[in-house]
């Protein structure tokens, strides 16, 4: 049953079991559209039985709710089609590929997969088109929250909670990740698998701060703006924003809005308790536009993607960069991070009024997620899901030193300083708020992101920008 309340507070139980890992949505070159696994088969005897033909929502739900499965994978023949926004050799794409290859080599030699890349900008359109023809791929990357809830309501994605129960692997997911996924989708069960459990905030270049005469990171918005002006006066671009990818800018609007209107600001607007055009919402958009007008984002902000923006921070070209804890993957790369092992710091979203939103409230999310098509689900898919949740935790920790929302049992004692930094920040969290588009439907979210570039260039006033979002919301509600 759908919950009426979507976003509330998270438990502080997110300490050492939460870390980076959603990956940038920056556009990447296309991967091969059919990269089947070529890993050697395991020596275990292969079953010749074909994959179950059971399909559809009823099949997915009934199968998952049936008697629990055994402990031994029956090695059914199955080719899974994966639609991803990550290249196969980078980020979450590399982890998914490694897990699929490992599953084939160690467990089911009759398993194979086809991997298709789609840019993050085209993902929603691609999924909508496939869903309309009831042809969603077996596994697909998507957004948690309201965008996925639409497909849950349409019964087009598998109830993962039921699958985990049937295949005896409910304890493989981090409890905080499960709680957050339920909260975001507004459901009592989960319908997606996490690929990260992240804290967001501002990363800063320590050498740039020192050069600009800034002795400590800001804790209030007034201090933040004063520091940005100091950086600019020192000849350093204050903020790297990644306007090409759009979401990096909408995160800034959200950061200011939450601290001035409260953690439920975006939810209240979606629920009709407030309007996106209310003064406090317009003020948040105006604030970010004013930073662009002051040159704090540098020239050509809309041509800079998030990957480049992160590089600018690490190279010292920009002093501040908003991103999630998944950015530690870049920071831990010695060849990419010119600032060194201790050259980048982190601070939470500055406070405007602690009675509205305090410093112990952090932006958190599960990043992009994976969902499974109800129409394509069968018992062979269920066994793959079991392997996925039982092994992704270890693979992510061993390969990238990151936590993806799954439990793991490999040694994590040798984490880097940046990983430790994030864990320390998470330990401070007493509550959490979601990102800008989390409660928006797909149509409203698209408008919010597509129009934000015009906000930065003054082609739209803050009032016009928020009015466009309100109009899209009103239209989708009809």
């Amino acid at each position: 049953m759908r919950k009426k309340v979507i976003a509330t507070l998270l438990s502080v139980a997110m300490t050492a079991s939460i870390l980076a890992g959603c990956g940038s949505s920056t556009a990447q070159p296309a991967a091969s559209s059919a990269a089947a696994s070529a890993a050697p088969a395991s020596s275990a005897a292969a079953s010749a039985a074909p994959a179950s033909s059971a399909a559809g929502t009823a099949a997915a739900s009934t199968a998952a709710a049936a008697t629990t499965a055994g402990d031994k994978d029956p090695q059914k023949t199955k080719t899974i089609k994966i639609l991803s926004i990550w290249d196969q050799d980078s980020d979450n794409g590399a982890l998914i590929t490694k897990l699929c290859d490992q599953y084939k080599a160690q467990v089911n030699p009759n398993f194979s997969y086809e991997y298709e890349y789609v840019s993050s900008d085209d993902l929603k359109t691609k999924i909508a088109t496939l869903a309309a023809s009831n042809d969603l791929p077996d596994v697909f990357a998507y957004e948690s929250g309201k965008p996925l809830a639409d497909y849950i309501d349409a019964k087009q994605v598998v109830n993962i909670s039921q699958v985990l129960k049937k295949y005896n692997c409910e304890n493989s997911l981090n409890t905080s990740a499960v709680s957050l996924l339920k909260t975001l989708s507004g459901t009592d069960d989960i319908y997606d698998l996490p690929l990260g459990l992240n804290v967001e905030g501002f990363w800063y270049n320590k050498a740039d701060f020192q050069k600009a005469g800034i002795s400590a990171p800001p804790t209030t918005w007034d201090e933040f703006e004063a520091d940005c002006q100091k950086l600019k006066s020192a000849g350093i671009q204050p903020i790297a924003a990644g306007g090409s990818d759009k979401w990096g800018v909408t995160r800034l609007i959200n950061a200011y809005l939450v601290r001035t209107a409260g953690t439920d600001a975006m939810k209240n607007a979606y629920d009709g308790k407030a309007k996106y055009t209310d003064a406090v919402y317009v003020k948040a958009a105006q604030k970010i536009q004013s930073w662009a007008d002051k040159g704090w984002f540098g020239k050509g902000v809309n041509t800079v993607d998030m990957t480049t923006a992160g590089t600018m921070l690490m190279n010292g070209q920009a002093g501040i960069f908003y991103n999630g804890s998944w950015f530690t993957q870049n920071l831990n790369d010695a060849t990419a991070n010119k600032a060194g092992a201790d050259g980048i710091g982190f601070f939470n979203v500055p406070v405007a009024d602690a009675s509205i939103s305090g410093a112990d409230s952090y932006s958190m999310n599960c990043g992009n997620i994976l969902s499974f098509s109800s129409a394509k689900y069968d018992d062979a898919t269920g066994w793959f899901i079991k392997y996925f949740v039982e092994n992704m935790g270890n693979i992510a920790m061993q390969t990238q030193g990151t936590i993806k929302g799954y439990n793991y049992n490999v040694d994590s004692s040798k984490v880097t300083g940046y990983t430790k930094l994030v864990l320390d920040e998470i330990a401070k969290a007493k509550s959490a708020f979601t990102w800008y588009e989390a409660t928006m439907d797909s149509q409203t979210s698209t408008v919010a992101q597509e129009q934000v570039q015009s906000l930065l260039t003054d082609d739209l006033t803050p009032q016009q920008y928020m009015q466009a979002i309100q109009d899209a919301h009103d239209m989708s509600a009809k």
Side-chain angles (χ1 to χ4, degrees):
M1 181 175 109
R2 291 294 307 276
K3 295 177 183 174
K4 293 184 180 179
V5 178
I6 294 181
T8 50
L9 303 181
L10 290 179
S11 166
V12 74
M14 300 177 188
T15 3
S17 33
I18 310 173
L19 190 63
C22 99
S24 168
S25 62
T26 301
Q28 306 169 55
S32 167
S33 61
S37 168
S42 133
S43 58
S47 167
S52 167
S53 60
T57 303
S61 298
T62 303
T67 56
T68 54
D71 293 328
K72 185 175 177 59
D73 192 306
Q75 299 181 326
K76 293 187 175 183
T77 299
K78 179 71 176 183
T79 298
I80 282 181
K81 293 184 178 180
I82 303 169
L83 183 66
S84 170
I85 58 172
W86 306 282
D87 278 338
Q88 282 189 268
D89 59 355
S90 66
D91 214 320
N92 286 322
L95 296 179
I96 294 169
T97 298
K98 183 177 180 66
L99 184 141
C100 288
D101 290 343
Q102 190 169 292
Y103 178 60
K104 179 179 178 69
Q106 298 179 1
V107 178
N108 183 6
N110 300 310
F111 170 84
S112 63
Y113 66 98
E114 297 174 359
Y115 191 103
E116 179 182 355
Y117 167 82
V118 61
S119 73
S120 58
D121 287 343
D122 297 331
L123 178 64
K124 287 184 179 179
T125 301
K126 176 88 171 180
I127 292 299
T129 301
L130 293 171
S133 58
N134 198 32
D135 192 29
L136 286 171
D138 300 81
V139 190
F140 60 95
Y142 208 60
E143 297 180 25
S144 53
K146 185 64 176 70
L148 181 66
D150 293 339
Y151 294 107
I152 296 173
D153 289 343
K155 303 185 186 303
Q156 290 183 293
V157 292
V158 172
N159 183 321
I160 297 296
S161 291
Q162 292 182 355
V163 175
L164 300 181
K165 183 176 182 179
K166 176 181 178 182
Y167 290 90
N168 302 303
C169 51
E170 292 174 287
N171 294 331
S172 295
L173 268 70
N174 177 280
T175 55
S176 293
V178 172
S179 176
L180 182 54
L181 290 173
K182 290 178 180 178
T183 299
L184 289 170
S185 61
T187 54
D188 294 316
D189 290 335
I190 62 171
Y191 291 78
D192 46 344
L193 291 176
L195 284 173
L197 195 52
N198 315 298
V199 61
E200 297 182 10
F202 290 95
W203 300 90
Y204 69 98
N205 187 293
K206 294 180 180 180
D208 283 353
F209 268 44
Q210 184 176 18
K211 181 180 177 181
I214 304 170
S215 59
T219 59
T220 68
W221 282 116
D222 287 342
E223 292 175 354
F224 179 90
E225 292 192 312
D227 288 345
C228 284
Q229 188 55 52
K230 289 178 182 178
L231 287 163
K232 192 170 191 305
S233 297
I236 301 166
Q237 180 177 313
I239 307 169
S244 172
D245 287 321
K246 307 176 184 92
W247 65 265
V249 179
T250 62
R251 290 295 212 273
L252 295 176
I253 299 174
N254 190 63
Y256 192 85
L257 178 63
V258 164
R259 294 302 199 220
T260 54
T263 55
D264 287 338
M266 295 305 290
K267 178 182 179 297
N268 288 339
Y270 181 80
D271 289 343
K273 297 177 181 178
K275 287 186 175 295
Y276 296 105
T277 50
D278 287 348
V280 68
Y281 295 80
V282 174
K283 182 180 178 181
Q286 186 277 328
K287 179 62 70 173
I288 289 4
Q289 185 183 69
S290 73
W291 296 350
D293 291 343
K294 293 175 182 177
W296 289 358
F297 297 135
K299 295 181 179 179
V301 58
N302 288 333
T303 65
V304 178
D305 61 33
M306 289 294 283
T307 299
T308 302
T311 300
M312 291 174 67
L313 176 81
M314 294 185 290
N315 288 345
Q317 295 172 268
I320 300 171
F321 174 51
Y322 185 100
N323 209 335
S325 51
W326 57 87
F327 185 53
T328 55
Q329 182 177 334
N330 302 78
L331 297 174
N332 289 331
D333 183 349
T335 60
N337 185 7
K338 305 303 181 184
D342 188 43
I344 304 295
F346 179 91
F347 60 90
N348 192 18
V349 174
V351 172
D353 183 339
S355 67
I356 296 175
S357 179
D360 57 4
S361 182
Y362 284 70
S363 176
M364 290 186 173
N365 69 76
C366 284
N368 291 98
I369 48 80
L370 289 181
S371 280
F372 291 74
S373 166
S374 295
K376 304 290 175 62
Y377 179 86
D378 55 18
D379 191 47
T381 308
W383 282 103
F384 173 74
I385 292 174
K386 174 181 173 67
Y387 185 85
F388 189 101
V389 301
E390 289 180 342
N391 291 273
M392 179 53 82
N394 283 345
I395 289 175
M397 179 57 66
Q398 290 172 327
T399 305
Q400 298 178 351
T402 59
I403 295 176
K404 298 294 185 182
Y406 305 87
N407 296 322
Y408 59 92
N409 54 25
V410 296
D411 182 18
S412 61
S413 62
K414 298 180 180 179
V415 296
T416 68
Y418 289 117
T419 299
K420 178 68 164 54
L421 182 156
V422 171
L423 290 173
D424 289 345
E425 288 297 320
I426 291 172
K428 301 174 186 176
K430 296 293 190 292
S431 64
F433 56 90
T434 58
W435 66 100
Y436 195 58
E437 299 87 358
T439 59
M440 294 179 181
D441 57 82
S442 297
Q443 181 179 349
T444 307
S445 174
T446 297
V447 170
Q449 289 201 358
E450 291 300 324
Q451 298 297 322
V452 78
Q453 292 183 330
S454 295
L455 177 71
L456 294 180
T457 57
D458 291 330
D459 290 320
L460 286 179
T461 66
Q463 179 69 41
Q464 289 171 330
Y465 171 69
M466 298 311 297
Q467 185 65 58
I469 295 175
Q470 185 65 49
D471 291 345
H473 171 68
D474 293 344
M475 182 69 68
S476 65
K478 291 180 179 180

